[in-house]
C-alpha cells in the first residue's frame, strides 16, 4: 500500500543545534518585538542576521481583505488543478483567464501589504 504525503512542514535538512545568547535592554527588546511582526522573535532575528528576506506583515486594516483573498486564491488553485487533471476541455481562452486572475490576485496582495515599496 502506497503512502501519500500528508503535507505539513518539511523535515529540516540540517537540525539547528547551536545557540546564540544576547542581552537586550527593555527598549531594544520592545523594538525587536515590534519589527518582528507575526514572526517569532528568534525567526525574525535569524533572518536578519543571515541576510534572508523578512516577510512583510499585513496591516491590521487589511487583514479581512487578505483572508478573503487567500480563499479566492485557493479556489483559483483548485480550478487550475481540475483543469490540469482534464476534468473539463482545455481552452486557450480559459488558460488566459486563469493567468489574468493570477496576476490580478498578486497585484491585490501586493497592495494589501504595501507592494508599492518594492518586491519581497
Amino acid at each position: 500500500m502506497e503512502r501519500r504525503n500528508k503535507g505539513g512542514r518539511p523535515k529540516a535538512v540540517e537540525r539547528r543545534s547551536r545557540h546564540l545568547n544576547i542581552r537586550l535592554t527593555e527598549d531594544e527588546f520592545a523594538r525587536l518585538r515590534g519589527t518582528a511582526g507575526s514572526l517569532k522573535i528568534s525567526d525574525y532575528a535569524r533572518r536578519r542576521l543571515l541576510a534572508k528576506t523578512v516577510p512583510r506583515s499585513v496591516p491590521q486594516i487589511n487583514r479581512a481583505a487578505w483572508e478573503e483573498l487567500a480563499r479566492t486564491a485557493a479556489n483559483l488553485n483548485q480550478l487550475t488543478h481540475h483543469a490540469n487533471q482534464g476534468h473539463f476541455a482545455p481552452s486557450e481562452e480559459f488558460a488566459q483567464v486563469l493567468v489574468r486572475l493570477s496576476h490580478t490576485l498578486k497585484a491585490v496582495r501586493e497592495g494589501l501589504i504595501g507592494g508599492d515599496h518594492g518586491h519581497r
Side-chain angles (χ1 to χ4, degrees):
M1 178 160 127
E2 182 181 330
R3 288 184 63 129
R4 296 193 73 212
N5 183 357
K6 301 265 186 189
R9 185 180 204 166
K11 299 292 181 197
V13 175
E14 185 177 354
R15 186 173 179 271
R16 290 188 175 106
S17 60
R18 304 297 299 175
H19 294 270
L20 174 65
N21 296 316
I22 62 171
R23 293 186 184 274
L24 302 172
T25 65
E26 287 296 327
D27 185 51
E28 290 170 333
F29 188 76
R31 283 184 29 214
L32 184 61
R33 180 182 294 148
T35 56
S38 62
L39 289 176
K40 292 191 299 184
I41 292 176
S42 59
D43 290 336
Y44 175 77
R46 182 182 306 107
R47 285 172 180 262
R48 291 300 306 258
L49 285 168
L50 300 177
K52 294 182 179 179
T53 59
V54 176
R56 290 178 281 171
S57 62
V58 179
Q60 188 62 38
I61 195 165
N62 295 342
R63 299 235 183 221
W66 182 268
E67 290 168 7
E68 181 62 32
L69 180 65
R71 286 189 286 277
T72 303
N75 289 337
L76 176 62
N77 286 339
Q78 289 175 0
L79 189 58
T80 303
H81 178 73
H82 283 294
N84 288 332
Q85 295 295 312
H87 291 278
F88 43 87
S91 151
E92 182 64 28
E93 182 182 5
F94 179 72
Q96 290 173 357
V97 167
L98 287 178
V99 169
R100 280 197 312 269
L101 277 172
S102 178
H103 290 304
T104 300
L105 285 171
K106 182 177 181 182
V108 171
R109 178 178 179 263
E110 286 293 319
L112 289 173
I113 59 174
D116 293 343
H117 300 93
H119 299 287
R120 287 181 130 189

